[in-house]
Amino acid sequence: MARIAGVDLPNNKRGEIGLTYIFGIGRNSALKILNKCEIDPGIKCGEWNDAQIAALRAEIGENYKIEGELRSAIQMNIKRLMDIGCYRGIRHRNGLPVRGQSTKNNARTRKGKKKTVANKKKATK
């Protein structure tokens, strides 16, 4: 089993799919990495030899920000937006959608479970 950047890659998946198990590497990045290391994308991860795995580790380590480093960079970017008080930062702070989505009916993923607000009682005569 190939282990790159602290992630166990599945033996039964093709190389281009297996690399996407690493946070920060998608299909395009995986293909670029495999082409640069001169590894066939169709070969399964379990069939890679030690030299190929070492080449992949070196390429990913030098040129890509992945896993914990990438997660912390994303969190720092969000914190910076919140600190400067821009529109996007305020939306992050309030837990609302950041990219202009409508919130009247949807946006339950960001807003959370419904909080029902009771109607105003009518005065009795």
Side-chain angles (χ1 to χ4, degrees), residues 9-120:
L9 302 183
N11 287 332
N12 58 341
K13 302 268 188 199
R14 296 174 64 223
E16 63 178 314
I17 303 298
L19 282 178
T20 63
Y21 280 60
I22 300 170
F23 182 77
I25 296 179
R27 292 282 295 268
N28 281 337
S29 301
L31 280 171
K32 286 178 188 170
I33 292 166
L34 289 170
N35 288 335
K36 200 159 191 182
C37 294
E38 297 173 357
I39 300 171
D40 179 28
I43 296 176
K44 298 193 185 259
C45 295
E47 298 170 9
W48 289 337
N49 60 35
D50 292 337
Q52 292 172 322
I53 293 172
L56 287 170
R57 272 198 200 111
E59 174 64 24
I60 291 170
E62 289 171 11
N63 301 324
Y64 290 88
K65 196 182 278 194
I66 52 168
E67 288 295 328
E69 187 182 350
L70 178 59
R71 288 181 211 270
S72 62
I74 291 169
Q75 285 302 103
M76 290 300 293
N77 290 338
I78 293 171
K79 186 178 182 317
R80 178 181 52 81
L81 291 171
M82 292 190 327
D83 289 344
I84 64 177
C86 67
Y87 181 80
R88 280 173 57 202
I90 292 167
R91 301 293 283 185
H92 273 293
R93 199 179 304 145
N94 293 340
L96 294 169
V98 178
R99 297 187 177 175
Q101 295 92 329
S102 173
T103 59
K104 182 176 179 182
N105 295 316
N106 285 330
R108 285 274 70 113
T109 303
R110 283 290 296 186
K111 289 167 70 174
K113 203 162 166 22
K114 282 185 184 173
K115 303 172 219 57
T116 306
V117 179
N119 288 335
K120 190 174 182 181

